[in-house]
Structure formats: structure tokens, C-alpha cells
Amino acid sequence: MKKIAYLIVILFLLAIISACQKTPDSPIVIGKDIDNIIDKAVEDPVVVSPDSGEDLRKPLDAPEILKLETEGVKGNLKIYVDADVIVPNTASIPVARVTRGQFSEEDVKNLYKVFHGDAKPIDPDAPPSSTYYMESVQELQKRKESGEYDDKLLDDEGIDDQIKDLLKQAAEAPESYEEVEPDFTFKENKDESQGPPGLYARLKFMSDDNIISEINVIQDTYGTGAYAEYIRDNTKSNEINDMVVGYSDAYSGNVEIGILPTIKEEDAQKLAQDTVTKLGLTDFVCTGKRVTPTSQLEYGEPIEIRGVYEFMFTRKINGVPINYTNDEGLTTVHEAYHQPWMYEKIRIFIDDQGIVYLKWSSPYIMKEIVSEASAMLPFSDISDIFKRMAPMKYDYCDNDEGYSYEMKVTEARLGLMRVTEKDVGDSGLIIPVWDFFGTLTLKGKPRQPNPAQGDQHYVYTSFLTINAIDGSIIDRELGY
């Protein structure tokens, strides 16, 4: 019952946060003019001499710390900025053009080479092993012993029925597999129950301890973006889904992770970096890290949640990294403008046994460096734009009659971002932007019926993304 009640509170908080976000059909802009951004970028590029020992902070007149306060029209949203101002250590920031990429058979081979080790390759279409079903049996038995389930939906008898069914499937499942020659070619999937339709490559391999690992490489069929993934243990698909698909900053920020990996964070990060290097992705750099909650629960009093390290990597261009954010870039409002296009990123999850999961999304193809150096507004203009536009973007929070909100901005970061070019299809520009990160706190107002309140941690969600070239506001979900 405690687990169910806890999840209800989390879902309520997520609903509240969603309610205070802008709607995608009314993006906020200040003179948005992506079509002419190249002309503006090359007008008066900001450059420092490599021999000067300075970075871009001086010509941009960017302070080490930004402090300011503002609020919504009704005063229901308070915004406090006490932020580190992060500027790349570089002489200039480029503008580049990229296109959508696809994975090749060589990429599939590289993934296999990095992850399979001495494991035995098996038929990728082989049914689950008996171990797969026994893992579920053990989880249900733990839940039954703890009593941590909603008795209106599931009781001891219901759990027993599930266990009986799983044991039957385990008895019919194979306990061993024949070794096969790994196949790195792409095939067409016409059965959506087996995954996204379109071209895919799948490899499975079994270790000496009978754990079946899996590599899936999916080509871009509908314009959202290709992706490749490595799953260390394919019996843990639900847990991985909770970490990756079901991840939200609000959930992560409000859940106390009771069990941390014993591996040192720096050792885990080195493993992640070494893996990216072995994959030949030398243009990628770690631009984010956090401890992510899993659905692994240690039943007892209290229930404890297990966490894993997560490291996020993005491409760097001329030494300047693309800023990592949680956004996917898959929202579209004006279909005539562009089709959805997922942002390129790599996410790696690590526990004490090594890499649990890796996902490499939407690879780019570098087409050209449009300009080695870009024009950029002075930071005073950027901070003025933030002060004026942040309350407008979050006016939904300001108008919330049930809660008051307090935004605390702790970081303003200059980096790169991909924006979509109008009517160009699969082409995008990489431009300099300012991202503002921090936390949002909501508090229930007196005499309101629901007491849910607390810090909503928006780490790696940019409260506002400002085009550093012309000061326009970029909607990261739309991609422009």
C-alpha cells in the first residue's frame, strides 16, 4: 500500500508540473528568424586571440555569477537567479550544419566488438530463457512476503496465480542455446509487436552465467531519429524502461535513492568515457551526469530504491560541446516547417557490475562548418531577455490558483544546440545558445485540499534557451 500511495503522489506532482508548462502551439519568441541566422552570425563574430590567455567571457562581458530577481504579473511565480555563468574555454564558437544520419553495418559490428566479450552469440529471435521467467517469480515472491501491493487490485491469490503461470512458462523455456554466427546486416521488421517497423539489426549473446545481452540498432523510418542500444540483461527490460523512457526530473528529484552503487563515480565515468572512445566516437564529450533511480526496490521497512550512475554525452564541434538537456525534440506544431527530429545524444547507465544500458540516439552527419566564429550578443542583453521572458514562459505557473511557485536558477551555460532549418528537411544548424538550469518549488496555498508540495528538480531541463546570436527564444521540444 505504501508503494501505491507513493506512486500516486509522484503522478500527481508530475501532473502539476505538466500543467505549468507552455503549450506547444503557442511558442514564445522574440523576433525569431532562423532563416536569416547565418547572415547575423557572420556580421561581427566574437573572437579572442589564442595567445591572449583569455576566453570568451571578456568580449561577452559575462560575469562569473549572475544575480537577479523577477516574478510573474500576479506574483504567484517568484524567480531568483544566483547562477554560475559557464563559458567554454575557447577562442570562438562556430556555426555548423548537420544532417540526419543512419547507422551502418560497421556501427553494428563496433557495438558487438565493444560489448560481447567472450559471450556466446545466439539466435537473436530465440525465445526467452527460463531465467527470464524465474526473475519475475522471485520479484513476485518478494512482493508477496512484504505485502507491498494494493489489495484492491492484487491479493495473495492473484500473485500465486501469476507465479504458477510464470513457472509453467519457465518449464517450457529453453535452458541452453546453440552458438550461431553473428549477423550484422539490417532486416525489415513488419511486425510492430516485435519493435518499431522498418530496418533493424539485432544481436544476442549469452555469458557464462547465462545472462543474455542484446544489441538493437533501429534505422530512422518515420523521421524521429535512428537509435542503437545495448542491454546487459534482457530480462530487465521493464527496469530499463523505467530508467530511460519513464525518467523525469520531478520523479528523480523527489525520490530518495537509498542504495547507491559502491563503485566510485570517477571510476564509473572513466568506464563510460572509455566505452565511447572504443566505439570510435572521439567527437563526443561527457556533458552531464546524475544518479538515476531504478525500479529495483528493496522490500522492507522502509522500502529502498536502488540507483545507478548515468553519464550523458554530446558532440563537440571545434572543441565546443552541444549542451545536454532532457529534451527529445520530437514535438511538431507546424508540419510544413519541419518534421520531428530527435537530438543526438548518448546515455550510459552504470552499476557495480558495469554498463547496464547504453542508448545512442539520432546520429548526426557533419556537413560543414558554416563559420568558425559566430556573432553573439553581450551577456547583459541575454540576462535582460531572461528577466523579461522567463515570467512570460511560465505564466501558467503564475496563474495557478492551487499553488505558488519559486524558481531558483543555479547555472547559465553557453554552448551549442541544433536548430531545424525551415523547409530544408533533414538539415539543421548548430548555433550558440544560453541555457538556464535550476529547480522549481511548488507550495500548496492555504485551504487548498491537496497538500502535495516540494522541490521539483529540473536538472538538465533548461528553463529558458536563448539564441546567443539574436536573443530569440528557442523551444527545445520544437527544435527552433
Side-chain angles (χ1 to χ4, degrees):
M1 288 297 292
K2 292 179 180 177
K3 180 183 176 185
I4 295 297
Y6 156 77
L7 290 174
I8 289 172
V9 171
I10 294 299
L11 289 172
F12 175 81
L13 290 174
L14 287 172
I16 289 294
I17 290 171
S18 298
C20 78
Q21 302 302 312
K22 63 184 183 306
T23 53
D25 59 352
S26 57
I28 297 172
V29 297
I30 298 181
K32 192 186 293 281
D33 190 10
I34 296 298
D35 295 345
N36 298 313
I37 200 66
I38 295 177
D39 292 339
K40 294 179 181 179
V42 300
E43 282 178 1
D44 188 17
V46 177
V47 182
V48 295
S49 170
D51 300 326
S52 67
E54 298 176 348
D55 59 19
L56 293 169
R57 191 178 299 277
K58 185 173 181 179
L60 294 175
D61 198 21
E64 297 283 347
I65 302 290
L66 172 65
K67 291 178 181 273
L68 65 84
E69 295 182 10
T70 187
E71 62 182 28
V73 174
K74 296 182 178 180
N76 196 49
L77 168 66
K78 308 286 187 182
I79 300 176
Y80 302 98
V81 180
D82 187 356
D84 294 326
V85 179
I86 310 298
V87 177
N89 184 18
T90 181
S92 63
I93 295 185
V95 173
R97 179 172 280 112
V98 297
T99 60
R100 299 177 197 255
Q102 297 283 12
F103 290 104
S104 65
E105 288 186 21
E106 195 63 31
D107 292 322
V108 181
K109 290 178 182 178
N110 284 341
L111 285 161
Y112 182 76
K113 181 179 178 181
V114 169
F115 287 112
H116 97 281
D118 297 326
K120 177 175 71 175
I122 64 173
D123 182 354
D125 297 321
S129 68
S130 57
T131 303
Y132 173 85
Y133 298 105
M134 293 308 297
E135 290 272 354
S136 299
V137 168
Q138 293 171 8
E139 178 67 17
L140 286 172
Q141 288 173 337
K142 287 181 181 180
R143 289 180 62 187
K144 180 179 178 181
E145 292 170 4
S146 70
E148 294 292 342
Y149 50 85
D150 191 340
D151 55 8
K152 293 181 180 179
L153 302 177
L154 188 66
D155 54 17
D156 286 356
E157 184 178 350
I159 286 185
D160 288 339
D161 289 342
Q162 288 191 29
I163 290 175
K164 187 182 300 182
D165 185 54
L166 288 167
L167 288 174
K168 180 182 178 181
Q169 294 179 75
E172 298 171 351
E175 293 188 6
S176 61
Y177 299 88
E178 295 294 326
E179 184 171 354
V180 301
E181 189 70 23
D183 182 1
F184 305 110
T185 62
F186 286 89
K187 303 171 183 63
E188 185 171 2
N189 177 36
K190 298 180 180 179
D191 183 359
E192 293 191 32
S193 67
Q194 300 300 314
L199 295 175
Y200 76 96
R202 178 175 296 123
L203 296 160
K204 288 184 180 179
F205 38 96
M206 187 168 65
S207 62
D208 291 339
D209 53 4
N210 294 325
I211 292 177
I212 297 177
S213 301
E214 191 169 321
I215 291 172
N216 296 298
V217 182
I218 312 298
Q219 296 291 40
D220 184 1
T221 302
Y222 293 117
T224 56
Y227 69 89
E229 63 180 1
Y230 160 74
I231 305 169
R232 185 180 67 200
D233 184 348
N234 71 349
T235 67
K236 306 292 187 183
S237 57
N238 289 336
E239 178 184 326
I240 289 169
N241 185 68
D242 288 341
M243 287 191 305
V244 181
V245 179
Y247 176 84
S248 75
D249 283 321
Y251 178 70
S252 177
N254 284 279
V255 172
E256 183 175 350
I257 298 173
I259 304 174
L260 298 174
T262 58
I263 182 175
K264 293 181 179 178
E265 181 181 299
E266 55 266 32
D267 293 337
Q269 184 168 345
K270 183 178 185 304
L271 172 60
Q273 183 64 67
D274 288 347
T275 301
V276 171
T277 301
K278 288 177 183 177
L279 288 170
L281 305 175
T282 55
D283 289 336
F284 282 74
V285 62
C286 184
T287 48
K289 58 184 178 181
R290 58 191 166 203
V291 177
T292 296
T294 72
S295 57
Q296 285 185 314
L297 305 179
E298 295 297 323
Y299 293 104
E301 198 59 49
I303 294 176
E304 290 192 290
I305 295 176
R306 187 179 299 276
V308 297
Y309 290 120
E310 180 186 355
F311 300 96
M312 298 83 91
F313 291 78
T314 56
R315 184 182 297 268
K316 60 181 179 180
I317 300 174
N318 287 6
V320 182
I322 293 175
N323 285 351
Y324 179 88
T325 73
N326 293 327
D327 305 282
E328 299 288 351
L330 296 179
T331 300
T332 182
V333 175
H334 309 291
E335 293 186 1
Y337 189 98
H338 80 304
Q339 292 298 313
W341 185 2
M342 184 185 297
Y343 295 118
E344 181 186 55
K345 62 182 72 174
I346 299 172
R347 298 173 65 187
I348 301 177
F349 300 82
I350 294 176
D351 65 6
D352 291 330
Q353 283 72 54
I355 294 178
V356 178
Y357 182 73
L358 175 147
K359 185 172 185 179
W360 173 12
S361 301
S362 191
Y364 296 157
I365 297 175
M366 280 292 303
K367 297 299 291 185
E368 62 174 326
I369 300 295
V370 177
S371 176
E372 296 286 346
S374 173
M376 289 181 284
L377 294 175
F379 187 76
S380 57
D381 289 1
I382 300 297
S383 61
D384 286 345
I385 291 169
F386 177 87
K387 186 174 183 178
R388 185 169 75 256
M389 295 304 297
M392 293 176 62
K393 179 180 178 182
Y394 292 91
D395 64 345
Y396 295 90
C397 297
D398 195 42
N399 291 320
D400 191 337
E401 296 181 357
Y403 292 86
S404 60
Y405 294 81
E406 184 177 282
M407 179 186 295
K408 292 184 178 179
V409 178
T410 56
E411 181 179 292
R413 178 177 292 272
L414 176 62
L416 293 173
M417 177 190 172
R418 187 213 77 216
V419 294
T420 306
E421 295 182 90
K422 184 178 180 180
D423 300 329
V424 182
D426 292 342
S427 176
L429 290 175
I430 305 291
I431 64 170
V433 299
W434 285 95
D435 281 303
F436 292 80
F437 301 100
T439 62
L440 185 68
T441 301
L442 70 159
K443 296 181 180 180
K445 293 181 178 179
R447 296 183 295 280
Q448 291 298 320
N450 200 305
Q453 59 185 14
D455 288 344
Q456 306 305 307
H457 292 247
Y458 275 73
V459 180
Y460 301 112
T461 294
S462 179
F463 285 137
L464 200 67
T465 299
I466 301 176
N467 184 332
I469 299 171
D470 64 6
S472 60
I473 305 302
I474 298 174
D475 187 317
R476 280 189 166 272
E477 277 302 315
L478 291 174
Y480 60 91

